[in-house]
């Protein structure tokens, strides 16, 4: 089996390589290709990924390439994790929103629209290559953000072999498992909503419901991402929200924190990545891997401990180290690998994915892409059905999905009018004049990537 990663020169390449290498023999993965269009980043981070593969699974044939056809030809599965425009465009996306008094978060905020303007055309091109060169039944797992909006656009464009996948829900479940000192496979959650706007309405340990107890547990607000929410809100809803719901439920606090910080998250990531890449650029990856790993640990640890710190005012203080030999808890590749394991078994399984609604949430359209717990079977992927009793939650999901529908259509046909209609509906914008100004700004900002809009 051949697995291809598009965006293999990213700083998270070692995580992907580690997860895949650990599962390669079980899944009969014998070829792994990392493709990227940035040769230096591919040399550094692809090179470090190569070292991980050699340490963990020497039998696995690993290669790096900048050749798109070489990457896709004969692929059984493809993972896409790209950043069109790089870190610098993220910085500009977020600052453009902040300067207009709007949260500039790169997926949930207004900046997510600009990111999608660049991501969607590139991913559609990759899907053409996949159709032409990959195996006829190849599956594409898209981790490129904003995953929900991107998946909606791919679906509208007729791409039926791609699944949007995010590791945020499974990471939250893993944090609860760690909190309770139980194996992660004993913790199960039922999720409904949209990508970065989803909710657990049930969390069980070996079949026993624990969601109400988690909401009441002080330690959960200290050691998990419940730290971003007020207990009274969760107690009222009896739901546990994805961490990105913080931007909706504490909008003014998030904006004040981001706007008052010395740098945005995009600027922070760009700075750390630039410093790390510069320090690694002079290193011999193959012969001084331990030295390279120390550099990686230093900068990636800073990145992890500062996650959502500027936005929430809550910092993490955890010692961080990449251990090539520890059991990989999941992450990006772990979610895709779970699908492959279920498919290889020939037996049904459950996992959280972005898929067409098809009646799962009754107030959304069948063609809407949702994020939900699904049954993965030999006959397809089927989301569980949910009844959303909390009217506020239903309205928020409905409104953001209306934004995503219009935004996806706008990007596919390059329509300013549709884009304005989309952004003025977004709960973090809700203004025609702001929406029009942002669309004009982002069309100009992205013209080298998208061409002219009408």
């Amino acid at each position: 089996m051949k697995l291809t990663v598009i965006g293999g020169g990213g700083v998270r390449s070692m995580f992907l390589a580690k997860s895949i290498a650990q599962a390669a023999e079980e899944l009969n993965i014998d070829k792994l290709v990392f493709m990227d269009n940035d040769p230096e980043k591919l040399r550094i981070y692809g090179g470090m990924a190569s070292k991980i593969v050699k340490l963990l699974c020497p039998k696995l044939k690993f290669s790096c390439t900048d050749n798109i056809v070489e990457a896709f030809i004969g692929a059984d599965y493809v993972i896409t994790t790209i950043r069109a425009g790089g870190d610098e465009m993220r910085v500009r996306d977020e600052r453009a929103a902040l300067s207009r008094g709007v949260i500039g978060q790169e997926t949930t905020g207004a900046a997510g629209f600009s990111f999608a303007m660049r991501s969607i055309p590139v991913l559609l091109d990759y899907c053409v290559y996949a159709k032409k060169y990959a195996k006829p039944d190849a599956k594409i797992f898209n981790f490129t953000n904003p995953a929900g909006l991107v998946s909606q656009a791919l679906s509208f464009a007729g791409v039926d072999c791609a699944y949007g996948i995010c590791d945020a829900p499974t990471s939250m479940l893993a944090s609860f498992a760690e909190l309770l000192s139980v194996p992660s496979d004993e913790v199960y959650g039922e999720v409904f909503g949209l990508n970065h706007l989803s909710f657990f309405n049930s969390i069980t340990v070996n079949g026993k419901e624990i969601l109400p107890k988690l909401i009441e547990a002080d330690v959960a607000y200290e050691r998990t991402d419940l730290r971003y929410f007020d207990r009274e809100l969760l107690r009222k809803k009896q739901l546990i929200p994805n961490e990105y719901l913080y931007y909706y439920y504490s909008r003014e606090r998030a904006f004040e924190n981001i706007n008052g910080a010395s740098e945005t998250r995009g600027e922070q990531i760009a700075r750390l990545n630039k410093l790390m890449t510069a320090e690694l650029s002079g290193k011999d990856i193959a012969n001084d891997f331990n030295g390279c790993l120390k550099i990686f640990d230093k900068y990636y640890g800073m990145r992890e401990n500062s996650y959502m710190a500027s936005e929430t005012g809550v910092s993490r203080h955890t010692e961080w180290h990449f251990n090539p030999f520890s059991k990989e808890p999941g992450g990006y590749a772990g979610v895709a690998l779970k699908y492959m394991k279920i498919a290889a078994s020939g037996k049904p399984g459950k996992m959280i994915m972005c898929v067409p609604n098809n009646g799962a949430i009754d107030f959304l359209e069948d063609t809407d892409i949702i994020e939900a717990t699904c049954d993965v079977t030999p006959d397809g992927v089927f989301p569980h059905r949910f009844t959303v009793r909390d009217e506020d939650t239903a309205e928020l999901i409905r409104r953001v999905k209306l934004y995503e529908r219009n935004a996806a259509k706008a990007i596919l046909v390059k329509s300013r009018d549709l884009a304005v209609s989309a952004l003025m509906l977004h709960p973090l914008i809700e203004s025609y004049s702001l929406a029009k100004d942002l669309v004009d700004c982002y069309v100009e900002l992205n013209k080298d990537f998208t061409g002219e809009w009408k």
Side-chain angles (χ1 to χ4, degrees):
M1 180 190 295
K2 178 179 177 179
L3 173 58
T4 292
V5 175
I6 304 298
V11 298
R12 290 185 170 184
S13 290
M14 281 202 301
F15 297 97
L16 289 163
K18 179 180 173 181
S19 292
I20 295 165
Q22 288 180 346
E25 290 194 43
E26 178 188 354
L27 294 175
N28 294 316
I29 301 170
D30 56 5
K31 293 181 182 177
L32 176 60
V33 179
F34 276 25
M35 181 268 169
D36 206 287
N37 56 13
D38 185 320
E40 179 61 5
K41 289 181 69 179
L42 189 62
R43 184 191 73 82
I44 294 171
Y45 299 109
M48 295 180 78
S50 176
K51 184 67 174 180
I52 294 299
V53 170
K54 289 175 183 176
L55 286 171
L56 299 179
C57 188
K59 295 180 182 178
L60 179 57
K61 185 179 179 182
F62 177 85
S63 62
C64 291
T65 183
D66 60 1
N67 186 298
I68 300 175
V69 174
E70 181 183 331
F72 277 101
I73 196 161
D76 296 272
Y77 289 100
V78 178
I79 293 174
T80 58
T81 172
I82 65 172
R83 179 171 291 283
D87 294 332
E88 179 55 35
M89 289 303 293
R90 174 182 180 174
V91 169
R92 297 176 72 182
D93 291 341
E94 292 177 346
R95 278 296 175 193
L98 283 174
S99 68
R100 290 161 172 81
V102 176
I103 289 176
Q105 207 280 328
E106 71 153 351
T107 59
T108 297
F113 179 78
S114 186
F115 192 7
M117 287 174 69
R118 298 188 299 275
S119 298
I120 289 168
V122 175
L123 285 168
L124 284 172
D125 286 343
Y126 283 136
C127 288
V128 172
Y129 279 98
K131 186 174 182 180
K132 187 173 182 180
Y133 295 106
K135 294 280 184 67
D137 58 350
K139 296 290 187 291
I140 299 172
F141 300 105
N142 174 55
F143 289 98
T144 300
N145 278 320
L149 175 51
V150 168
S151 297
Q152 189 69 63
L154 294 182
S155 180
F156 281 156
V159 177
D160 59 4
C161 61
Y163 294 113
I165 298 182
C166 179
D167 60 345
T170 52
S171 294
M172 181 171 275
L173 288 176
S175 73
F176 294 143
E178 183 178 355
L179 181 74
L180 299 169
S181 299
V182 299
S184 59
D185 59 3
E186 293 181 7
V187 181
Y188 173 79
E190 284 283 326
V191 170
F192 71 92
L194 312 177
N195 178 245
H196 287 183
L197 199 151
S198 60
F199 302 81
F200 287 100
N201 68 352
S202 172
I203 298 175
T204 59
V205 175
N206 290 323
K208 182 179 180 182
E209 184 62 59
I210 63 166
L211 186 144
K213 289 184 177 180
L214 282 172
I215 289 174
E216 297 301 328
D218 291 344
V219 68
Y221 295 85
E222 297 167 4
R223 292 173 50 192
T224 77
D225 287 343
L226 293 196
R227 61 171 64 88
Y228 305 133
F229 302 100
D230 292 338
R231 192 197 315 259
E232 286 301 315
L233 174 67
L234 306 194
R235 185 180 285 157
K236 174 186 173 184
K237 292 184 175 295
Q238 285 301 298
L239 299 168
I240 288 183
N242 182 290
E243 70 237 44
Y244 285 85
L245 266 297
Y246 167 78
Y247 296 103
Y248 296 100
Y249 292 143
S250 301
R251 179 172 62 175
E252 74 294 335
R253 189 188 311 166
F255 179 81
E256 288 172 7
N257 287 340
I258 297 168
N259 201 43
S262 59
E263 56 186 359
T264 63
R265 180 60 172 169
E267 288 165 345
Q268 190 177 67
I269 293 295
R271 175 176 58 80
L272 292 174
N273 285 351
K274 186 176 181 180
L275 288 169
M276 179 165 62
T277 302
E279 213 169 317
L280 288 168
S281 65
K283 298 294 182 180
D284 184 339
I285 306 297
N287 295 312
D288 186 20
F289 180 68
N290 288 335
C292 294
L293 200 56
K294 287 180 181 178
I295 294 169
F296 184 86
D297 283 347
K298 177 175 68 172
Y299 290 108
Y300 205 86
M302 293 178 191
R303 172 177 171 147
E304 285 293 288
N305 282 321
S306 60
Y307 177 66
M308 287 189 75
S310 297
E311 297 89 338
T312 65
V314 180
S315 299
R316 304 178 184 186
H317 302 283
T318 304
E319 186 176 347
W320 196 90
H321 173 64
F322 181 87
N323 182 351
F325 301 102
S326 64
K327 188 178 185 303
E328 181 58 41
Y332 278 20
V335 186
L337 289 168
K338 184 174 182 179
Y339 177 95
M340 295 179 206
K341 288 177 182 177
I342 294 171
S345 74
K347 300 176 182 178
K350 294 179 178 13
M351 59 184 297
I352 301 164
M353 303 175 70
C354 294
V355 296
N357 180 49
N358 289 330
I361 300 175
D362 60 7
F363 55 82
L364 296 180
E365 296 179 6
D366 285 348
T367 55
D368 286 338
I369 299 298
I370 63 170
E371 182 172 86
T373 304
C374 301
D375 290 322
V376 180
T377 77
D379 297 320
V381 178
F382 305 97
H384 293 185
R385 292 182 176 269
F386 297 90
T387 299
V388 184
R389 294 185 174 85
D390 183 73
E391 291 183 3
D392 294 346
T393 297
E395 182 57 32
L396 181 58
I397 293 171
R398 186 184 292 111
R399 173 67 75 89
V400 174
K401 179 42 70 176
L402 183 55
Y403 153 73
E404 287 186 349
R405 274 189 225 127
N406 285 339
K409 292 174 183 176
I411 292 169
L412 288 172
V413 300
K414 299 183 181 181
S415 168
R416 289 176 185 258
D417 286 345
L418 268 177
V420 172
S421 295
L423 288 179
M424 70 182 289
L425 288 167
H426 196 296
L428 299 181
I429 300 172
E430 293 184 322
S431 163
Y432 170 79
S433 56
L434 270 177
K436 188 173 185 303
D437 188 21
L438 280 164
V439 169
D440 288 343
C441 171
Y442 286 144
V443 167
E444 176 64 22
L445 185 65
N446 290 305
K447 64 182 179 182
D448 291 339
F449 297 90
T450 65
E452 294 297 322
W453 276 45
K454 55 181 183 283

